Amino acid sequence: MSAGPPIKVLLADDERLVRSGFKVLLDLEDDIAVVGEATNGAEAVELARATRPAVVLMDIRMPKLDGIRATREIAGADGLDQVRVLILTTYDTDENVFEALQAGASGFLLKDAGPAELLHAIRVVAAGDALLAPRITRRLISQFTAQRRAAKSGEDRLAVLTDREREVLALVGRGMSNTEIGTALFLSPATARTHVSRIMGKLSARDRAQLVVVAYQTGLSQSTA
């Protein structure tokens, strides 16, 4: 399917049947290769260091080291900055999902997602974009940032951004793609992408998923919704 090297994927879940099901599905794809299976978070970190996957499919609830702490270790490890973590969760109201995004995950997906949705998620995250399950993103992040948000600290954090960059960040927080942002602000998709890249640099965000978190933490998304 792909002319380039396959997307290396590491599976991290303490349930053997879940891992086996994912592996059977992924092994059918020419552009995806499963390079390891971890039964807990500690193994996930070790295997990430050993195999350098493009994407880690990470369950949240695992023994020894949970998926959130494992994600934080991978995101902060030297040499693993190109590894992206896609969180898998059973619950669409799981507060831990938000914490995983803060820890450095590139997105999350419900375990009941269909095969096509899972494959799409892996390819999107491997390409460097964020994947946030649309039916729960806004409600989830809003719910768990509302009580944590401080207007002054939020304003201080956004002080480095231009007015245009704030507009772009607000739309990123609402789940818009670069094309959609460009249409909304009368910009080309390339210009929108440039703004997003600059915002990531100014806010020291690992990827687009963390920009979504910032947009909600600072109240920027709610004020423009």
Side-chain angles (χ1 to χ4, degrees):
M1 182 177 179
S2 173
I7 299 168
K8 297 198 299 183
V9 176
L10 172 63
L11 305 177
D13 196 299
D14 60 335
E15 295 184 34
R16 181 181 298 177
L17 284 176
V18 172
R19 296 196 312 274
S20 297
F22 286 149
K23 190 173 188 306
V24 168
L25 173 65
L26 299 182
D27 282 346
L28 294 174
E29 301 300 309
D30 293 336
D31 65 329
I32 296 176
V34 176
V35 295
E37 296 182 43
T39 62
N40 58 63
E43 284 186 5
V45 176
E46 292 176 6
L47 286 174
R49 293 182 186 277
T51 64
R52 304 294 174 92
V55 178
V56 180
L57 287 182
M58 181 84 76
D59 188 26
I60 287 181
R61 292 178 173 83
M62 291 187 292
K64 293 187 179 181
L65 190 70
D66 64 44
I68 294 175
R69 289 188 292 165
T71 296
R72 186 174 292 113
E73 288 196 20
I74 290 172
D78 291 337
L80 298 184
D81 52 311
Q82 297 302 312
V83 177
R84 296 290 179 256
V85 177
L86 179 59
I87 293 291
L88 292 164
T89 180
T90 306
Y91 308 103
D92 65 356
T93 57
D94 194 342
E95 178 176 3
N96 290 333
V97 171
F98 174 71
E99 294 177 2
L101 293 176
Q102 288 185 307
S106 293
F108 64 89
L109 195 65
L110 293 179
K111 280 189 175 180
D112 64 359
E117 190 175 356
L118 175 63
L119 294 172
H120 171 71
I122 290 172
R123 291 172 177 130
V124 166
V125 171
D129 291 324
L131 194 290
L132 306 172
R135 76 179 192 252
I136 55 179
T137 301
R138 188 172 304 175
R139 175 169 59 83
L140 177 74
I141 298 180
S142 294
Q143 180 178 354
F144 295 111
T145 57
Q147 71 273 25
R148 304 176 189 182
R149 196 172 65 241
K152 185 178 186 304
S153 63
E155 190 62 30
D156 290 344
R157 191 170 187 184
L158 297 177
V160 296
L161 302 183
T162 65
D163 289 342
R164 174 61 87 188
E165 288 168 345
R166 290 190 187 207
E167 291 177 326
V168 171
L169 177 58
L171 297 182
V172 170
R174 291 167 62 181
M176 289 191 180
S177 66
N178 291 330
T179 298
E180 291 170 333
I181 291 172
T183 298
L185 299 179
F186 304 101
L187 304 171
S188 70
T191 299
R193 178 180 289 276
T194 297
H195 280 304
V196 171
S197 295
R198 286 176 179 166
I199 294 167
M200 287 174 59
K202 288 183 177 182
L203 298 181
S204 299
R206 177 179 170 88
D207 58 21
R208 202 179 185 100
Q210 292 197 325
L211 292 186
V212 175
V213 173
V214 172
Y216 277 90
Q217 283 181 321
T218 58
L220 200 58
S221 287
Q222 288 91 331
S223 66
T224 59

